[in-house]
Amino acid sequence: MPRHSDQTTEQMIEADRREPDVAQFAGGVSSDAHHAALRASVRLLGRLLGEALTRHEGADLLELVERVRGLAREPEDEDLHALLAEVDPATAVVLARAFTAYFQLVNVTEQQHRYAELATGEAGPLAVAVERIGAALAGGDIDADLVADVLARLEYRPVFTAHPTEASRRSVLELLRKVADQTTALADASRPAQERPLAERRLAELVDQLWQTDEIRIAKPDPSDEARTAIYYLQSLAEDVVPGLLAELDRVLAGIDVELPATARPLRFGTWAGGDRDGNPNVTPEMTLQVLELQHDFGLRTLIAQVEDLLRELTTSSRIVAVSEELMSSLQQDAAALPVTWESVRRLNAEEPYRLKLSFIRVRLQRTRDRLAAGTAHEPGRDYLGLPELIDDLVLVRDSMLADGDRLTGDGAILRAIRTAVAMGAGLATMDVREHSGKHHAALAELFDRLGELSTPYEELDREERKELLSAELRGRRPLVGAGVDPGPAATASLDLMASIRTALDTYGPDVVETYIVSMTHDVDDLLAVVLLAREAGLVEIGRDAAATTARLGFAPLFETVAELELAGPLLRTLLEDPGYRRVVAARGDVQEIMLGYSDSSKDAGIAASQWQIHRAQRALRDIAREFGVVLRLFHGRGGSVGRGGGPTGEAIMSQPYGSLDGPIKITEQGEVISDKYTLPTLGRQNLETALAAVLEASLLHRTSLLPPDVLEGWNSTMDLVAGRGQEVYRTLVRDPELVPFFSGATPVDELGKLNIGSRPSKRPGGAGGLDDLRAIPWVFGWTQSRIILPGWYGVGSGLAAAREAGRGETLAEMYGSWAFFRTFVSNVSMTLAKTDLDIAARYVEALVPGAATHLFDSIRKEHARTVSEVLAVTGQAELLESAPVLRRTLELRDHYLAPLHALQVSLLARTRAVPDGEEPDPDLQRALLLTINGISAGLRNTG
């Protein structure tokens, strides 16, 4: 790679160009060969499903399913709607289950073939990224010190959240994973032909078991159930994905003479299950501690299993190799602390020092698990107090190998075990705690008003007055709560939460809970308030300088609306100018986390304004963090759908503003995205590797702008036009008084709460029943069910048209060709438009929307047509997905099976809503309706 100074702007942009992978976002394949293999697998699974249906429900029912599917190819066919209107509730249940099961099977086999296609490349994402980094090193664009510096803080952290868009039960997911494994085995050409009949029988058995399994949860899950689902995926990743992925990172870095320290943490995981309190009354301090105990029980089991694998493998004899004095000394200490273990292992393993050490490690891990379960005290040398002690023991074994010159073994299984332990920890994931800013102010109002020192009640203070009060109080040392004093219900709730965090940190170590996220952050006082409450609980102690300050917890504002995003930069500046808060940041290693909310900002102002303001906010935050010498850790709160910031993760990372990524990044993994990415370990590996490669490359090679300032300013002003006009058009629609009855009528949003897919209520408590009370997740989920998918595109067409009418047509084409942010944005909108079907949506509107609100559908149709036209003008294509014809065929095939579900859902919604007030609908009618929600979600993917 030539030095930047030797390249033109056009050459640098072309070298950096990435084509959006629409197939990856849609969950499909892109080549004819893999499409043919996928179709063969789908035919096989479809046949087995039909046979299961016949066995359990009879041939007549299978005939009905095929008849409905045939009629559904023409959405306007009145025969279909007449047929479904006559179907009794019990039969409707079976119909919905049949089409839902079909999509579940199609999805899992698509995942298989998607991975098979991705794996055919000569080099994986990490190899490609590191090759670019190596070229930059060789060309002098970056130096070795920068690479070492960035690697030391490199951290990609997917955070598993418990949002209500995952409609599949874990029991179903486990069955589907077995189906995938069996389908892969059948496709193995090396498998003996005589084994095929039994393999097909096993596959038929699994498909039959899937039909026998109820897709609908009997009861709403509580946060511990959601935690178990997260643990299911995390354990799979720890066992099947993380060791190999981090070994690959080691391998490719070694190719450019770069060594990653054994204790580096380029990958780790986060979770919100049990910690996200905002609007969820089920997440109590007791529940948080219960979930953390559950995580550590499973995490320690995983660690113990990995150590046992090492025990079986590392049979090195001290008769053959030399062992370090440090290791031999540690064995003497272990023998003294654990004499029973020593007596049981020394006879057989006396000359196998690595096995001896690993035996002690295994026992200490087992005793740690027992201690945590029993709640007893730590015994030094006999169990582990925290992860660092375990890592030190494992590193001691590796160091002994390296000291003897055994680099091959030292960089083998033992290094993989160290890297996995560092990545996963003893609890598999680090928990974030999130709470609404209003809760903290309510707590402080009780505390300050009881003191009686304020001339004006705390709740009546304006923002500036609160800031001055809280800043001064933070620098002081007096407690706000006296011993034996009842602080009030709001203060008690906040202080109990802080006490539970302190208990967790004392019990499990500093990584168990790292960040307290303040949702609905409007100003500096919202952050200072929670820091003050943390000080009351002993989590923060602000000294005279940074060295004398203790902060066991970090604090992150969450900016959720466009207005808040606009003020994000100035707010960070004011925060870092506060001497007390700046010391807290310094005590946390000079790292400041900021969470960016994609969902509410999109619901508030539309997709164009949301995406653009998040991009601009990142630039402002980047500049201010640099000015204050702080490392910025951005936390992207993305959902699965485009309307909530969704899209391919790697492309999203590479399209961030230059310099905004400097090693660490957190990104939420929500709802159905988790099962789509991580149900199959092979695909989980591919997704994690793609994202990790993007983080590494962006942190090292995207530190400065590739564009001259005048070009960038022209693009900025064009995007201002697109976002500004898009926001106006979007808000005109959503602020129409008929929008709420239109949305409630045209979508199953009111029925969504009965699906038992999340512990968090779909509406905010205490609201008046309007749009503002509805959370962003069901807002997107509802529109998707009726195929309008409005949050993913509405307003974009008007925005692009405004820019074109202002003479910016050529600029738009240039932006699409050369600006990763804009290209990714347009690509994601294009995919959403391809999934939108307003002919299907029209059935919902005609049958279910009150007459006074139906006129809004005309506005929706016009903006949709405008958006399609403008997107095609920007991309230079004649039709959506023109560059991905195989994917287009895949989506068309899915529509043949989605159409019956949509038609059935419209019929069932009409019948359910016709039940008189005070009466309960037929249980089968309700169940059939909820099954259609499940099925459409499975068929469309990226639904929330």
Side-chain angles (χ1 to χ4, degrees):
M1 177 184 292
R3 295 175 63 88
H4 282 172
S5 57
D6 299 330
Q7 291 181 287
T8 65
T9 299
E10 290 76 14
Q11 287 172 326
M12 287 189 287
I13 290 173
E14 184 59 32
D16 192 60
R17 182 185 175 98
R18 308 285 194 285
E19 288 299 329
D21 185 355
V22 291
Q24 183 186 27
F25 182 30
V29 297
S30 57
S31 70
D32 286 326
H34 284 282
H35 183 68
L38 170 61
R39 289 296 300 272
S41 296
V42 169
R43 283 194 296 272
L44 172 61
L45 291 169
R47 174 174 63 79
L48 295 177
L49 178 61
E51 291 170 1
L53 186 60
T54 302
R55 279 192 295 272
H56 291 277
E57 310 297 337
D60 290 345
L61 209 293
L62 178 61
E63 184 181 342
L64 177 62
V65 168
E66 290 302 316
R67 185 181 173 201
V68 168
R69 185 167 68 88
L71 291 172
R73 297 187 181 190
E74 299 295 333
E76 298 302 317
D77 192 330
E78 294 301 327
D79 291 342
L80 171 64
H81 299 281
L83 173 64
L84 293 175
E86 297 299 320
V87 167
D88 63 82
T91 303
V93 167
V94 179
L95 276 175
R97 291 196 68 222
F99 288 107
T100 299
Y102 171 80
F103 279 123
Q104 290 170 332
L105 293 168
V106 168
N107 284 349
V108 78
T109 196
E110 256 189 6
Q111 289 170 343
Q112 281 180 287
H113 288 280
R114 190 160 92 233
Y115 171 73
E117 184 175 58
L118 291 169
T120 56
E122 293 183 4
L126 276 172
V128 172
V130 171
E131 182 181 5
R132 291 193 180 107
I133 292 164
L137 273 168
D141 296 315
I142 58 176
D143 59 38
D145 288 342
L146 175 65
V147 174
D149 189 39
V150 169
L151 283 175
R153 60 176 177 270
L154 180 72
E155 181 191 293
Y156 170 55
R157 193 188 314 183
V159 179
F160 289 14
T161 69
H163 281 296
T165 61
E166 172 54 85
S168 298
R169 293 178 59 205
R170 193 165 67 249
S171 303
V172 172
L173 295 173
E174 289 173 344
L175 273 173
L176 290 172
R177 180 168 170 177
K178 290 180 179 180
V179 166
D181 290 342
Q182 197 63 31
T183 307
T184 300
L186 271 169
D188 184 0
S190 65
R191 191 184 185 102
Q194 62 266 31
E195 293 183 7
R196 186 172 181 86
L198 279 178
E200 284 194 3
R201 187 191 184 286
R202 172 61 176 157
L203 185 59
E205 176 188 342
L206 291 168
V207 172
D208 198 277
Q209 187 60 52
L210 180 69
W211 181 257
Q212 297 180 48
T213 303
D214 195 348
E215 305 90 335
I216 303 294
R217 292 185 176 95
I218 297 173
K220 205 173 186 66
D222 68 18
S224 67
D225 297 319
E226 293 166 336
R228 288 179 187 277
T229 297
I231 288 167
Y232 167 77
Y233 290 108
L234 290 165
Q235 269 197 302
S236 172
L237 291 169
E239 294 165 0
D240 303 324
V241 175
V242 172
L245 172 58
L246 294 180
E248 172 67 1
L249 178 60
D250 278 325
R251 184 190 71 80
V252 295
L253 286 175
I256 60 170
D257 296 323
V258 172
E259 183 173 356
L260 188 69
T263 54
R265 205 169 194 177
L267 176 67
R268 64 189 292 198
F269 295 87
T271 179
W272 276 17
D276 184 10
R277 294 168 55 88
D278 183 15
N280 192 343
N282 300 302
V283 181
T284 62
E286 296 77 18
M287 177 59 74
T288 297
L289 291 173
Q290 179 184 330
V291 166
L292 289 173
E293 182 180 344
L294 189 69
Q295 282 183 217
H296 282 76
D297 181 61
F298 280 92
L300 285 165
R301 288 189 206 179
T302 304
L303 285 172
I304 290 166
Q306 290 173 339
V307 169
E308 287 175 344
D309 285 343
L310 287 175
L311 257 171
R312 287 187 286 271
E313 181 172 331
L314 297 182
T315 54
T316 303
S317 170
S318 56
R319 290 184 175 187
I320 300 172
V321 303
V323 179
S324 70
E325 292 183 8
E326 291 81 4
L327 179 62
M328 296 305 297
S329 175
S330 78
L331 288 174
Q332 292 175 4
Q333 296 170 19
D334 291 336
L338 296 164
V340 175
T341 302
W342 171 241
E343 289 300 324
S344 68
V345 299
R346 70 172 179 171
R347 185 177 64 83
L348 292 177
N349 304 125
E351 294 178 349
E352 296 175 330
Y354 299 153
R355 272 188 159 179
L356 287 175
K357 186 63 182 178
L358 290 164
S359 295
F360 288 122
I361 292 173
R362 177 181 59 181
V363 170
R364 289 183 69 179
L365 284 170
Q366 290 169 335
R367 291 179 62 85
T368 302
R369 184 167 170 251
D370 293 342
R371 170 176 64 80
L372 293 176
T376 54
H378 163 59
E379 296 181 84
R382 293 171 61 80
D383 60 27
Y384 290 112
L385 181 60
L387 183 66
E389 290 183 27
L390 167 65
I391 301 302
D392 287 345
D393 274 352
L394 292 171
V395 168
L396 195 62
V397 175
R398 179 175 184 256
D399 285 348
S400 177
M401 296 172 177
L402 298 180
D404 192 46
D406 187 3
R407 170 68 64 174
L408 185 64
T409 308
D411 286 346
I414 187 68
L415 181 58
R416 290 193 295 274
I418 291 168
R419 292 229 185 277
T420 303
V422 171
M424 308 303 299
L428 299 174
T430 295
M431 180 184 285
D432 290 329
V433 171
R434 182 173 74 143
E435 183 58 283
H436 193 286
S437 60
K439 298 286 188 180
H440 311 131
H441 289 304
L444 288 175
E446 291 179 346
L447 296 180
F448 279 111
D449 292 350
R450 284 175 185 273
L451 291 174
E453 298 176 353
L454 301 179
S455 57
T456 303
Y458 180 88
E459 288 188 346
E460 296 177 18
L461 297 177
D462 63 27
R463 294 276 184 187
E464 192 60 32
E465 290 170 330
R466 281 186 189 175
K467 179 196 157 197
E468 291 178 8
L469 170 67
L470 298 173
S471 180
E473 197 67 44
L474 275 175
R475 295 194 301 274
R477 292 183 174 275
R478 67 162 182 175
L480 296 178
V481 182
V485 175
D486 178 9
T492 297
S494 287
L495 293 173
D496 284 352
L497 171 60
M498 293 296 179
S500 70
I501 294 172
R502 186 182 61 203
T503 297
L505 292 168
D506 291 342
T507 305
Y508 303 109
D511 285 344
V512 64
V513 178
E514 189 176 79
T515 307
Y516 192 115
I517 298 165
V518 182
S519 58
M520 284 299 165
T521 298
H522 301 291
D523 211 333
V524 172
D525 61 311
D526 293 328
L527 261 291
L528 298 182
V530 73
V531 177
L532 184 55
L533 288 167
R535 190 201 69 178
E536 288 298 303
L539 293 170
V540 171
E541 183 177 347
I542 298 177
R544 297 180 184 276
D545 54 31
T549 297
T550 300
R552 301 184 68 190
L553 191 62
F555 305 91
L558 168 52
F559 301 116
E560 297 179 81
T561 67
V562 165
E564 291 161 5
L565 288 163
E566 289 172 351
L567 296 173
L571 187 148
L572 179 60
R573 175 182 296 281
T574 307
L575 262 180
L576 294 177
E577 287 174 342
D578 183 89
Y581 188 80
R582 183 65 185 87
R583 290 172 204 160
V584 169
V585 174
R588 299 292 299 171
D590 272 327
V591 175
Q592 175 61 59
E593 184 172 316
I594 303 284
M595 186 168 183
L596 304 170
Y598 288 70
S599 306
D600 283 287
S601 60
S602 179
K603 177 171 169 273
D604 165 50
I607 183 68
S610 167
Q611 295 278 304
W612 180 230
Q613 195 52 56
I614 287 172
H615 193 81
R616 300 206 77 152
Q618 290 179 79
R619 293 178 181 176
L621 293 166
R622 169 202 66 200
D623 294 343
I624 291 164
R626 284 178 173 178
E627 180 184 338
F628 282 85
V630 167
V631 174
L632 184 65
R633 181 168 63 213
L634 291 173
F635 185 2
H636 297 266
R638 306 166 73 232
S641 62
V642 171
R644 298 189 53 243
T649 303
E651 290 170 15
I653 291 168
M654 294 302 294
S655 66
Q656 302 305 305
Y658 72 86
S660 62
L661 183 50
D662 192 22
I665 187 173
K666 293 168 67 174
I667 299 177
T668 52
E669 299 280 37
Q670 300 185 6
E672 82 290 338
V673 173
I674 297 175
S675 61
D676 185 54
K677 284 186 174 183
Y678 302 115
T679 294
L680 303 185
T682 50
L683 206 54
R685 158 70 184 265
Q686 184 71 28
N687 281 297
L688 286 173
E689 182 175 348
T690 300
L692 182 58
V695 174
L696 179 60
E697 183 174 349
S699 296
L700 282 167
L701 303 186
H702 285 199
R703 303 182 70 81
T704 57
S705 177
L706 298 177
L707 298 165
D710 59 327
V711 173
L712 189 58
E713 186 51 45
W715 291 1
N716 288 344
S717 61
T718 301
M719 199 62 211
D720 285 340
L721 270 174
V722 173
R725 180 56 182 157
Q727 177 175 307
E728 289 175 16
V729 170
Y730 175 85
R731 283 185 170 169
T732 297
L733 177 73
V734 298
R735 291 178 177 177
D736 189 299
E738 297 298 334
L739 192 278
V740 170
F742 181 94
F743 177 62
S744 297
T747 75
V749 67
D750 290 333
E751 289 77 14
L752 181 60
K754 299 172 184 175
L755 191 52
N756 293 330
I757 57 176
S759 68
R760 189 183 186 206
S762 62
K763 294 186 178 180
R764 294 185 171 92
L771 186 60
D772 290 342
D773 302 327
L774 187 70
R775 298 190 188 280
I777 297 164
W779 167 253
V780 174
F781 199 89
W783 286 116
T784 304
Q785 286 283 310
S786 57
R787 297 297 289 278
I788 299 174
I789 325 184
L790 181 142
W793 58 265
Y794 197 88
V796 174
S798 291
L800 292 172
R804 191 175 304 284
E805 290 161 8
R808 307 290 182 93
E810 290 185 6
T811 303
L812 289 172
E814 182 185 67
M815 289 161 60
Y816 181 75
S818 304
W819 190 11
F821 162 75
F822 188 69
R823 189 166 58 250
T824 300
F825 168 68
V826 172
S827 175
N828 289 343
V829 169
S830 179
M831 172 55 62
T832 307
L833 290 169
K835 290 188 173 185
T836 300
D837 190 324
L838 296 188
D839 290 335
I840 286 176
R843 280 288 180 179
Y844 287 82
V845 175
E846 292 163 7
L848 303 168
V849 173
T854 54
H855 69 279
L856 291 177
F857 196 54
D858 295 333
S859 300
I860 291 170
R861 277 195 180 278
K862 289 176 183 176
E863 182 61 20
H864 179 263
R866 184 181 297 114
T867 304
V868 171
S869 175
E870 290 295 333
V871 164
L872 293 177
V874 167
T875 61
Q877 297 180 355
E879 59 181 339
L880 296 171
L881 302 183
E882 181 183 275
S883 61
V886 174
L887 174 61
R888 192 169 65 246
R889 293 203 303 270
T890 300
L891 294 179
E892 288 169 355
L893 175 66
R894 280 177 173 263
D895 273 344
H896 293 158
Y897 289 85
L898 275 166
L901 280 169
H902 285 296
L904 184 58
Q905 188 176 87
V906 170
S907 173
L908 295 169
L909 282 169
R911 283 197 257 177
T912 301
R913 293 172 183 178
V915 175
D917 291 341
E919 295 184 21
E920 281 294 318
D922 184 303
D924 278 342
L925 196 65
Q926 281 190 308
R927 183 159 182 257
L929 176 56
L930 299 182
L931 283 164
T932 64
I933 294 174
N934 245 0
I936 292 169
S937 174
L940 283 172
R941 300 176 140 173
N942 313 116
T943 56

